[in-house]
Amino acid sequence: MNFPPVDEQLAIIRRGVEKIVPEEELAVKLTKSRETGIPLRIKYGIDPTGIDVHLGHTVPLRKMRQFQELGHQAVIIIGNYTALVGDPSGRDQARVKKLTEADVEANARDYLNQVGKVIDISQAEVHRNGDWFAKMSFAEILQLCGKITVAQLLTRDDFAKRYASQTPIFLHECLYPMMQAWDSVMIKSDIELGGTEQLYSFMLARDLQRDQHLPQQVGVMSPILVGTDGEQKMGKSLGNYIGISETPFDMMKKFMQIPDATMGMYFNLLTSIPLEEVTAILQGHPKEAKVRLAKSVIAGYHSEQHALEAADRWQREVGGGELPTDIPTVTLNLTTLAAQLPQCQGDLVHSRLAAAQLLKVAGLTPSTSDAIRLIQQGGLSIYDGDQPTLISDPKAVIELKTGLLVKAGKKKIARLVIDH
RNA sequence: GGCGGGAUACCCGAGUGGCCAAAGGGGCCAGACUGUAAAUCUGGUGGCUCUGCCUUCGCAGGUUCGAAUCCUGCUCCCGCCA
């Protein structure tokens, strides 16, 4: 195996990495592997709890990919056993929902499919940590527990906070870092990838490895990727994530919404554009920079072509204010409507309907009250052909006909189909 | 187990008999501005057949002309003590 020079490897590995612990051991490991021709074993573990892989997850995965490209061995741990516990990292309370083993297995398969979009899964080792945890005896578990003190556990920020605020810390959660660390022992990892919040477990892994007379792993920790709000950690529950399985156009829209200040981090962590070039890009027009960023990432999960199309479409529909190409149709059956809205029967027999009622029945607003507010604030436009007409009176009577476009606010739009 | 505090709209949180569909903030929505975002400004933010009506302040009852506010019971949270 021929590895690139250590300096070159280090430059690639260091990009977008917040912490390498212990820093000096990384070069030593790389040097040794280059001399012996033995690839380093790069560990990355995930718990198959959710299903949507988003860009936040791709940060360490991209790092994994880079290690692969440098000739090292990717080792993916599917935490099917740790998933039964739930990672307490950064949590201020224990997870509530418990996953069944069947859920976990289904999630794991789905997860591997998605991960394949970032790393070369055919060249990766995949392990499930249930393979070893399921076989451990209680005595063995006890022995492992003997390696960790409560005081050590409490050095973790999340546990310390919970302890201080008297929020429950369950015993099985205490075992989580131990399990994660034991995975490192079992697969003899040289490097472990993850976020900075994993520091405790990464260091515990070193202790356990030393205990077993194994070489100790080095933690390579990525910063936390912020979400599209530019503030908080990207995550599903916060609704600020960009999923890698989303359509190019959906990704495009989300990318264009990130705050300018967040672009630097995204370029650094999500693209391979050389950093000098990134600096130049960021000095140009922010909008152009954002388009460039979006295209670069989208191309990685779809194709150059799709990325281009998405960017063009965004420019036309969002930037240029043109009507979107995929307007959903809403079918209104006048007979049914008349039965639902007896007070509007008079209008309906003439295929007419008050604007506020229309928004409600077309599903563009959740209630007529909401529709009235929206209309009064100038949010309703009706397109008959290409001509928009602003409707500002909720009671304005609209002539219903098929093909009419109803646009409520910036985002909600529907094409009517009238049925008698 | 004892004592005390609390539960208000999407979230936080004021309100302690009528002027309360309920202050304020966050979020969100609409409009202006813009580069798309941010920032800023304006308005809005229970429902309806809408100058009015109906439903909502943990749940169920009660007092009262009138209750988010007072009383009784219940459920759940939280603090202190043991």
Side-chain angles (χ1 to χ4, degrees):
Chain A
M1 195 77 180
N2 288 320
F3 296 99
V6 171
D7 284 352
E8 279 178 31
Q9 293 195 56
L10 277 175
I12 293 171
I13 293 165
R14 284 215 174 95
R15 169 165 175 168
V17 162
E18 186 160 319
K19 248 192 232 170
I20 297 174
V21 190
E23 174 89 40
E24 60 286 355
E25 283 187 27
L26 177 60
V28 174
K29 277 187 181 283
L30 288 171
T31 307
K32 196 170 168 195
S33 111
R34 191 154 186 262
E35 283 166 359
T36 57
I38 300 171
L40 295 178
R41 295 175 62 73
I42 317 299
K43 173 192 171 196
Y44 179 64
I46 69 101
D47 289 347
T49 46
I51 36 170
D52 258 352
V53 174
H54 59 62
L55 293 180
H57 302 118
T58 70
V59 174
L61 285 170
R62 284 177 52 80
K63 193 53 65 184
M64 178 68 98
R65 172 84 201 196
Q66 289 162 358
F67 271 108
Q68 282 189 312
E69 283 164 0
L70 293 171
H72 299 290
Q73 178 62 51
V75 184
I76 299 285
I77 306 281
I78 299 289
N80 59 339
Y81 252 57
T82 29
L84 302 174
V85 175
D87 184 1
S89 288
R91 300 230 144 219
D92 47 17
Q93 54 185 325
R95 300 204 178 211
V96 188
K97 89 176 169 215
K98 297 267 187 285
L99 294 162
T100 67
E101 293 199 35
D103 290 338
V104 165
E105 189 48 35
N107 287 343
R109 289 177 188 285
D110 185 47
Y111 177 79
L112 286 172
N113 275 333
Q114 298 187 64
V115 164
K117 293 180 182 179
V118 186
I119 67 167
D120 181 355
I121 205 95
S122 69
Q123 294 299 309
E125 273 178 39
V126 177
H127 300 276
R128 284 165 173 70
N129 62 10
D131 292 352
W132 44 86
F133 287 126
K135 291 185 203 142
M136 280 175 93
S137 69
F138 198 71
E140 289 171 306
I141 295 165
L142 284 178
Q143 201 192 352
L144 251 191
C145 288
K147 314 275 185 204
I148 305 165
T149 68
V150 171
Q152 283 165 5
L153 278 176
L154 286 176
T155 62
R156 283 178 61 118
D157 209 39
D158 34 53
F159 281 155
K161 271 188 201 143
R162 274 158 67 173
Y163 188 70
S165 67
Q166 311 216 6
T167 312
I169 303 170
F170 292 92
L171 276 181
H172 71 295
E173 292 184 276
C174 296
L175 298 189
Y176 187 92
M178 185 192 85
M179 293 169 78
Q180 197 181 333
W182 191 246
D183 289 342
S184 294
V185 170
M186 294 312 286
I187 61 116
K188 300 184 170 62
S189 59
D190 289 301
I191 307 276
E192 178 157 9
L193 303 178
T196 48
E197 79 285 355
Q198 301 292 328
L199 179 64
Y200 177 83
S201 300
F202 283 16
M203 294 305 102
L204 183 60
R206 285 173 61 83
D207 292 344
L208 296 184
Q209 284 174 322
R210 186 190 50 211
D211 236 60
Q212 303 295 321
H213 310 291
L214 290 169
Q216 292 173 288
Q217 69 175 23
V218 173
V220 173
M221 289 168 277
S222 312
I224 303 299
L225 189 79
V226 298
T228 50
D229 56 358
E231 300 268 329
Q232 291 179 282
K233 177 179 177 176
M234 181 175 283
K236 195 175 185 178
S237 56
L238 290 168
N240 61 355
Y241 72 100
I242 302 178
I244 65 170
S245 303
E246 293 188 50
T247 68
F249 187 57
D250 284 339
M251 291 174 98
M252 190 73 204
K253 283 191 285 193
K254 291 188 181 181
F255 266 112
M256 294 309 281
Q257 276 176 7
I258 67 169
D260 290 356
T262 305
M263 284 196 283
M265 179 189 232
Y266 276 29
F267 269 115
N268 191 11
L269 298 181
L270 302 177
T271 75
S272 303
I273 299 171
L275 294 179
E276 317 83 73
E277 202 179 329
V278 168
T279 309
I281 293 171
L282 289 176
Q283 277 166 355
H285 194 295
K287 181 180 169 182
E288 295 313 313
K290 225 173 270 183
V291 171
R292 178 75 190 275
L293 167 68
K295 283 204 286 200
S296 174
V297 177
I298 293 169
Y301 295 102
H302 297 280
S303 68
E304 291 283 346
Q305 183 60 27
H306 283 122
L308 266 175
E309 284 166 10
D312 286 348
R313 186 172 159 201
W314 183 88
Q315 183 52 43
R316 269 182 281 119
E317 297 181 11
V318 184
E322 285 179 35
L323 291 171
T325 51
D326 59 346
I327 301 171
T329 60
V330 171
T331 303
L332 299 180
N333 183 296
L334 298 187
T335 317
T336 316
L337 278 183
Q340 284 167 355
L341 304 168
Q343 77 280 9
C344 299
Q345 266 175 3
D347 282 332
L348 284 168
V349 294
H350 299 293
S351 297
R352 294 188 300 216
L353 192 58
Q357 302 294 340
L358 178 59
L359 284 189
K360 166 76 189 298
V361 298
L364 293 173
T365 57
S367 67
T368 48
S369 300
D370 204 51
I372 290 167
R373 288 191 285 265
L374 189 137
I375 294 167
Q376 283 171 342
Q377 299 187 112
L380 173 64
S381 294
I382 304 276
Y383 289 73
D384 187 1
D386 285 341
Q387 298 278 41
T389 309
L390 185 71
I391 309 291
S392 51
D393 176 8
K395 288 182 180 163
V397 174
I398 310 296
E399 299 281 344
L400 299 180
K401 58 181 182 182
T402 295
L404 213 60
L405 282 177
V406 183
K407 186 159 176 260
K410 277 178 226 167
K411 291 164 197 157
K412 288 167 288 186
I413 185 159
R415 185 185 300 279
L416 297 186
V417 173
I418 306 302
D419 180 15
H420 290 269

